[in-house]
Amino acid sequence: MGGRKAGIRAGAAISCALLLGGCGGAGNNGSARHEPVTVAKAPAQLPVPRGEGSKSADDFNGDGLRDLVLNDLVKSPDDAHGDDAGIGIVYGTGTGTGAGTTHGLAPGARQLLNPARQAARTKGRSPAVFDAEASCDLDRDGFTDLVVSTDPPYDGQGRPPVPLQILFGSPAGLTGRAVRLVIPAAARAGNDWPDQPVCGDFDGDGAEDLVVHASDGRLSYLRGPFTRKGAPRAAGKPLPSPGTVPTGPALDVNRDGYDDLLVRTAEGSATSALVLGGPAGPTRTGTALPSGIDVAFGPFGRGRALDAAVGSMDGTSLRYDLPTAVRDSISTPGSVLDAGDFDGDGVSELVSSGAELRILRGRTTGLSATGMVTVPPPARGTTRVLTVADFTGDGRADLVVRTYDGETKDTVAVYAGSKEALVTAKPTVTFSTSEFLGMNS
């Protein structure tokens, strides 16, 4: 079944920077290195802060602070070829009091979502696969929920079962067992796995919906809110689609109050097109984009409409001024893209990831390679962007990267957004997913 991460950044995926832009400031230089945190050095585990509900994205405990989702946790050296350990959650917390309070990710406030404990069982068996796919508040209770993919038993005959499950957020975070996502038979098509979920308010009613892949260039559209048993409020016949890979996160490209969806024609390097939301959901095909590995959205020039940047095999980023045709082309070394407002001025920067991580400046006239910022890797290994988002609540995006050194070592690093330098020269938070090894919950 498909493995595209929708909404949970993991490799090449669509990025969104509607509220995150930025430009200006001096570049970062140097080659600061940090060794991965070992289990022995890991901070003591802290309780998950209790919240009362919020409208913040990726806020599973509802305390108003964004949390971080991690797939593909490193494995113990003694069990390097064992089963997937599960999903790691690092919660945002506030430290200090009064005017001295600071907010951000706290590696001590961590949680392991283990399929043996959290997944819904099928015929008494827990799934071996348990990967985060998308996140949004599906039941409208003020706590973000997590959509995960599993591997339910299937003998290859007829229509396969739905591989998606929902973990519901709560004041204590993601607790309890997941429930299977219900996709009514009338909303399915063919015998493809119904996967690749994308959250969004596609019909503009204020409730989060889900779109999942169906067969033969069609999408299953599930209207929210969802019940605690995983059932949508409504679901009609599958919708026609310009491609087979719905890709999150969804965003309102044309500012009409309805979320829109990017759909790719294939995994990897492929063309894509926007599918526009409306009262009936995502039914209208909009702007077509050229072939590329990745697409990132953001207002890359002040006063402009939303832009799309397309990263291709040769590293060229083509910038479109949606919904019109191409505006300019910038040659960059990387092809995996993300975007965010690192200095809080309302204009997006473009993060280009490949052999190195670089940040292209957003200016009033659009993206510019002049004064490009190079981000030093936090450790030895291969570095990839996990996400770009505001984890501190200061109005500036932060850059979260992960450096891999085989299957048993990694480093996750957070570079805070900076008004003066776009991002800090050294990580403000550094930890390893090895900290989740041996956790019971």
Side-chain angles (χ1 to χ4, degrees), residues 8-30:
I8 309 295
R9 181 93 187 173
I14 180 179
S15 323
C16 169
L18 279 171
L19 302 178
L20 304 173
C23 71
N28 292 330
N29 298 306

Side-chain angles (χ1 to χ4, degrees), residues 345-365:
D345 72 346
V347 180
S348 293
E349 270 78 48
L350 181 69
V351 180
S352 179
S353 175
E356 292 185 296
L357 300 181
R358 293 177 170 87
I359 303 177
L360 281 72
R361 296 179 183 277
R363 301 188 185 279
T364 56
T365 55

Side-chain angles (χ1 to χ4, degrees), residues 26-236:
N28 292 330
N29 298 306
S31 57
R33 293 188 180 274
H34 301 263
E35 292 302 318
V37 177
T38 64
V39 175
K41 298 177 183 177
Q45 190 171 355
L46 302 172
V48 173
R50 294 187 66 87
E52 298 180 352
S54 80
K55 295 183 178 180
S56 299
D58 289 346
D59 183 11
F60 304 109
N61 58 332
D63 65 348
L65 300 174
R66 185 184 287 262
D67 309 315
L68 178 67
V69 182
L70 296 160
N71 278 315
D72 303 319
L73 307 179
V74 297
K75 300 174 182 178
S76 166
D78 299 327
D79 190 26
H81 301 291
D83 291 338
D84 189 348
I87 303 166
I89 308 292
V90 177
Y91 287 88
T93 64
T95 60
T97 58
T101 301
T102 59
H103 300 91
L105 292 173
R110 57 189 183 271
Q111 180 184 27
L112 176 65
L113 305 176
N114 185 296
R117 294 181 177 85
Q118 273 82 34
R121 294 172 178 160
T122 302
K123 297 180 180 179
R125 291 191 300 167
S126 297
V129 173
F130 204 57
D131 287 331
E133 297 282 351
S135 58
C136 56
D137 184 3
L138 291 170
D139 59 350
R140 299 187 74 176
D141 65 349
F143 302 92
T144 302
D145 310 309
L146 187 66
V147 183
V148 300
S149 61
T150 66
D151 58 342
Y154 179 53
D155 61 7
Q157 303 298 314
R159 177 170 286 183
V162 176
L164 302 173
Q165 300 184 6
I166 302 172
L167 278 163
F168 288 100
S170 75
L174 294 166
T175 60
R177 282 199 179 272
V179 301
R180 297 180 186 85
L181 175 66
V182 177
I183 303 180
R188 296 190 61 177
N191 291 331
D192 283 1
W193 286 94
D195 56 7
Q196 299 158 342
V198 179
C199 291
D201 181 10
F202 301 107
D203 58 4
D205 67 351
E208 292 286 341
D209 313 312
L210 278 178
V211 165
V212 303
H213 164 72
S215 304
D216 305 322
R218 284 176 284 180
L219 302 173
S220 295
Y221 171 48
L222 311 176
R223 292 179 183 256
F226 288 69
T227 70
R228 299 287 291 202
K229 293 184 178 180
R233 175 177 61 85

Side-chain angles (χ1 to χ4, degrees), residues 72 74-75 380-382 402-410:
D72 303 319
V74 297
K75 300 174 182 178
R380 296 178 180 87
T382 301
R402 185 175 179 186
T403 297
Y404 301 84
D405 186 7
E407 292 188 337
T408 61
K409 291 183 180 179
D410 75 343

